[in-house]
Amino acid sequence: MNIFVGGLPFKVDESELRQLFEKFGELTSVKLITDKLSGRSKGFGFVEMADDAAGQKAIDALDGTELYGRTIGVRISEDRKPDRRY
């Protein structure tokens, strides 16, 4: 299950994001999205969990919780829509 995590504090790194989710089950990947020029976090990322039930448990437990004073949003990631600018 691919999970979107938004509203992350800018000081959170991938290892911290991993620690937040791994207590719910096995992770297959963790990706914090960063700005290409500055390398700074954009405040969101994606966590992929091996088991859908564990992923849902993580979503239920973490959505709306606070991390360093910011409320994070955790939900199932939607498929990316094609870029129609061209």
Side-chain angles (χ1 to χ4, degrees), residues 6 14 18-19 30 35-41 49 51 61 67-68 73 76 79 84 86:
E14 283 186 6
R18 178 177 295 281
Q19 288 176 355
V30 175
D35 180 78
K36 291 179 183 176
L37 297 176
S38 70
R40 183 176 165 197
S41 168
M49 299 193 73
D51 179 55
L67 184 61
Y68 297 115
I76 295 174
D79 289 337
R84 297 178 188 243
Y86 302 103

Side-chain angles (χ1 to χ4, degrees), residues 7-70:
L8 290 169
F10 297 120
K11 67 181 182 177
V12 170
D13 60 17
E14 283 186 6
S15 66
E16 208 166 357
L17 192 56
R18 178 177 295 281
Q19 288 176 355
L20 189 63
F21 279 84
E22 66 188 356
K23 57 188 158 196
F24 297 99
E26 181 185 349
L27 305 181
T28 53
S29 70
V30 175
K31 179 68 177 161
L32 188 62
I33 306 304
T34 56
D35 180 78
K36 291 179 183 176
L37 297 176
S38 70
R40 183 176 165 197
S41 168
K42 288 190 170 189
F44 69 96
F46 297 91
V47 175
E48 191 168 345
M49 299 193 73
D51 179 55
D52 286 353
Q56 190 59 55
K57 191 191 266 186
I59 290 169
D60 294 341
L62 296 173
D63 186 40
T65 60
E66 279 195 21
L67 184 61
Y68 297 115
R70 291 192 66 177

